[in-house]
Amino acid sequence: MTMTSGPTMVEINGNRLNVLVLGDDAEGPGGTAGGPGDAPGKPVMIVHHGAPGLGSMAEPRAAFAPYADEYRVVVFDARGSGASEGNGPFTHEQWAADVDGLRQWIGAERIVMAGGSYGGFVAMEYAIRYPDRVAALVLRDTAADNANQELALRNALASARVEIDRVKLDRIMSGTVRDDDDLRDCWAEILPLYDHDLDWAKVRQRVADTPYRYATHNFAFSVNQPNYDIKPLLPRISCPTLVTVGRHDWITPVECSETIAGLIPGAKLVVFEHSGHSPQLEEAERFQRVVREFLAGVAASRA
């Protein structure tokens, strides 16, 4: 039997994070399922959401809950996102350190590290900074440098789906939005580009459901992004790595994933032909099958 409690606030590195553990088979201290407790038999997977200041545990919870039959799946709102506290800094180094704090809290020596989009940036940096702690790496629609910014700009302006307001596009891409309301307006401008099949009702619902934290977003895109380039460090990643991407991803196009897969030794690249930026949701059944087969192979190789 797997058990799941509701989210809990956990202090990690001086900042309270909103954390949920899926797939617990054992109760933690005080009889609370989802607490750190003594490490049970299941291996641990930690999944990092994308879009700092816009993202939350909602997407990884939806996409990775099925793996709770085999893993203790930790999803959370990153520092400065969702319902978590927003004590800075909002650097990749700090976000990676927070992942390692969660690893220690859950009581795992090693983890499967997963991350999509901007969460993939953090996942790769975690694997680089804490190589002995990563059993396997699962990436989705991400990039190893900031070259995707120019590709995304080109794709957005060329889209026949919507006519993009260039001023709003520039503000959200450069991290210069004025406040949470402005971030919402800029987000609504580009959301129709994300999915392979456009559903306006889904777009409107996502705009309404998104937790807006403009200061986090601005730091990520005005401070972190301009200097982001980990390509020279990727050959250091020695754990088994799966790289997944939607064929029609506008913001981190396929060539970004090809670069990653070409630099991480032995990495496997899988392209989802009927997806945009979210194959884990748009082709959920195939995505789950691909990830399970990859992880089963990792487990078999270590048996």
Side-chain angles (χ1 to χ4, degrees):
M1 178 181 70
T2 61
M3 302 191 309
T4 302
S5 66
T8 185
M9 297 299 288
V10 180
E11 184 162 330
I12 301 292
N13 298 325
N15 190 86
R16 285 165 61 80
L17 298 181
N18 187 37
V19 181
L20 179 65
V21 181
L22 306 169
D24 256 325
D25 287 325
E27 292 187 347
T32 303
D38 296 325
K42 284 182 180 178
V44 171
M45 176 189 297
I46 298 181
V47 190
H48 206 293
H49 65 76
L54 289 163
S56 72
M57 69 164 69
E59 177 273 318
R61 181 180 185 178
F64 284 85
Y67 304 93
D69 60 345
E70 296 184 78
Y71 291 84
R72 302 177 77 198
V73 181
V74 180
V75 296
F76 65 105
D77 297 338
R79 175 184 300 253
S81 293
S84 290
E85 280 190 319
N87 302 320
F90 305 129
T91 60
H92 294 184
E93 180 180 9
Q94 183 63 67
W95 282 323
D98 290 347
V99 170
D100 202 56
L102 286 171
R103 177 196 61 78
Q104 294 175 57
W105 171 78
I106 201 72
E109 286 296 316
R110 303 173 79 218
I111 61 171
V112 172
M113 183 69 222
S117 195
Y118 204 111
F121 301 177
V122 180
M124 286 184 284
E125 294 221 23
Y126 183 77
I128 292 165
R129 293 173 184 273
Y130 303 87
D132 295 338
R133 300 304 185 187
V134 185
L137 183 61
V138 178
L139 303 173
R140 190 267 306 162
D141 294 81
T142 190
D145 61 21
N146 59 19
N148 75 292
Q149 296 274 86
E150 187 60 35
L151 296 170
L153 175 63
R154 180 194 67 197
N155 290 338
L157 296 178
S159 175
R161 181 171 287 186
V162 289
E163 185 175 345
I164 295 292
D165 183 323
R166 176 63 187 269
V167 175
K168 289 183 180 180
L169 176 65
D170 287 345
R171 282 208 302 277
I172 196 168
M173 296 293 280
S174 64
T176 54
V177 299
R178 297 185 288 263
D179 52 30
D180 286 346
D181 288 340
D182 189 39
L183 181 56
R184 181 186 297 107
D185 289 345
C186 294
W187 183 229
E189 189 74 20
I190 62 174
L191 259 181
L193 301 175
Y194 277 84
D195 291 341
H196 180 255
D197 298 317
L198 176 60
D199 182 335
W200 280 106
K202 181 179 176 182
V203 169
R204 288 190 290 270
Q205 189 62 51
R206 191 172 177 192
V207 171
D209 291 344
T210 295
Y212 297 94
R213 306 280 294 273
Y214 85 98
T216 309
H217 169 84
N218 278 356
F219 191 97
F221 283 86
S222 67
V223 179
N224 296 342
Q225 276 286 79
N227 300 310
Y228 176 62
D229 184 354
I230 59 171
K231 293 194 305 298
L233 304 179
L234 290 185
R236 296 185 190 177
I237 295 178
S238 57
C239 65
T241 300
L242 174 66
V243 184
T244 66
V245 63
R247 174 66 70 188
H248 307 282
D249 186 349
W250 76 278
I251 193 164
T252 48
V254 172
E255 50 260 55
C256 297
S257 288
E258 290 173 340
T259 296
I260 294 168
L263 290 171
I264 297 178
K268 178 180 180 181
L269 174 65
V270 179
V271 180
F272 290 78
E273 298 296 337
H274 305 290
S275 293
H277 190 61
S278 301
Q280 81 284 11
L281 302 175
E282 297 180 88
E283 295 182 70
E285 184 176 340
R286 183 183 176 221
F287 184 87
Q288 290 175 27
R289 184 171 66 252
V290 166
V291 173
R292 284 188 189 275
E293 288 174 357
F294 166 72
L295 293 176
V298 171
S301 70
R302 297 181 183 278

